[in-house]
Amino acid sequence: MDFVSVVLPFIAVLGTFVAMEGVAWLAHKYLMHGAMWYFHEDHHSHGPGFFEKNDAFFVIFAVPSAYCFITGGAAADVRLWIGVGIALYGLAYFIVHDVFIHRRFKWFQRTNNAYLMAIRKAHKVHHKYLQKEGGECFGMLFVPPRYIREARQSLRNKMK
Ligand SMILES: [Zn+2]
Ligand SMILES: [Zn+2]
């Protein structure tokens, strides 16, 4: 296997994707619930209409991704794969957070997967807080293990 053309891109994409969960957690906790609360507020208060000011964050996170695509593409270096990792995380965030949890599109509704149930539950806990301060569960794909244990338990109870 060729390190530069196969292994390096794979590590760069995967590493960026995992790192982005940390970046998203930090941004959510310290920016969205901090100085940029203005943009995030309507995601917690559920106003009418399809779009939220909160959607601005998709545009904000697209900027470093586009930058990496353009410069990394031109120079044919690892930045291209970092850009791919950021874009893939954005896509995963959209599918998990906006479609699966908040159901902005009615694509998939029900699940018997303990991990997916746990993600949804943890984020619902985040949404219990309507204010800037306080709050918990700022992550998206990383979920505290106790939510997975609870989901497994409720699946077992359903089977009985
Ligand atoms: Zn929030
Ligand atoms: Zn949400």
Side-chain angles (χ1 to χ4, degrees), residues 28 33 37 40 43-44 126 138:
H28 188 187
H33 283 256
W37 174 244
H40 189 54
H43 184 59
H44 280 264
H126 176 72
F138 289 91

Side-chain angles (χ1 to χ4, degrees), residues 3-160:
F3 181 79
V4 174
S5 65
V6 180
V7 182
L8 184 68
F10 182 75
I11 293 170
V13 171
L14 196 72
T16 303
F17 188 92
V18 173
M20 278 304 293
E21 172 71 10
V23 171
W25 185 88
L26 286 168
H28 188 187
K29 190 170 167 72
Y30 295 106
L31 290 176
M32 297 158 96
H33 283 256
M36 297 182 84
W37 174 244
Y38 169 79
F39 289 100
H40 189 54
E41 183 180 16
D42 67 349
H43 184 59
H44 280 264
S45 59
H46 295 292
F50 180 76
F51 288 103
E52 300 170 344
K53 277 184 278 163
N54 188 56
D55 293 332
F57 288 103
F58 280 111
V59 180
I60 291 168
F61 278 110
V63 171
S65 181
Y67 172 82
C68 288
F69 265 107
I70 293 164
T71 57
D77 65 21
V78 72
R79 281 175 295 186
L80 173 63
W81 302 110
I82 293 172
V84 170
I86 299 172
L88 282 179
Y89 185 81
L91 183 66
Y93 198 97
F94 174 76
I95 290 172
V96 170
H97 177 258
D98 293 83
V99 180
F100 176 65
I101 296 175
H102 290 300
R103 298 169 198 190
R104 292 174 82 174
F105 301 94
K106 311 268 173 265
W107 293 343
F108 25 77
Q109 308 276 6
R110 299 171 59 78
T111 179
N112 280 327
N113 180 285
Y115 172 64
L116 290 176
M117 289 166 71
I119 291 183
R120 188 184 257 163
K121 178 72 198 296
H123 194 68
K124 294 287 177 193
V125 169
H126 176 72
H127 273 279
K128 271 202 215 145
Y129 299 85
L130 301 179
Q131 301 306 318
K132 179 179 170 182
E133 277 80 27
E136 54 185 308
C137 298
F138 289 91
M140 177 52 48
L141 300 176
F142 171 78
V143 59
R146 71 188 160 97
Y147 289 100
I148 297 177
R149 282 197 298 274
E150 280 172 23
R152 285 209 188 102
Q153 189 59 51
S154 81
L155 281 173
R156 270 196 293 273
N157 292 342
K158 253 203 284 188
M159 305 264 245
K160 278 179 200 158

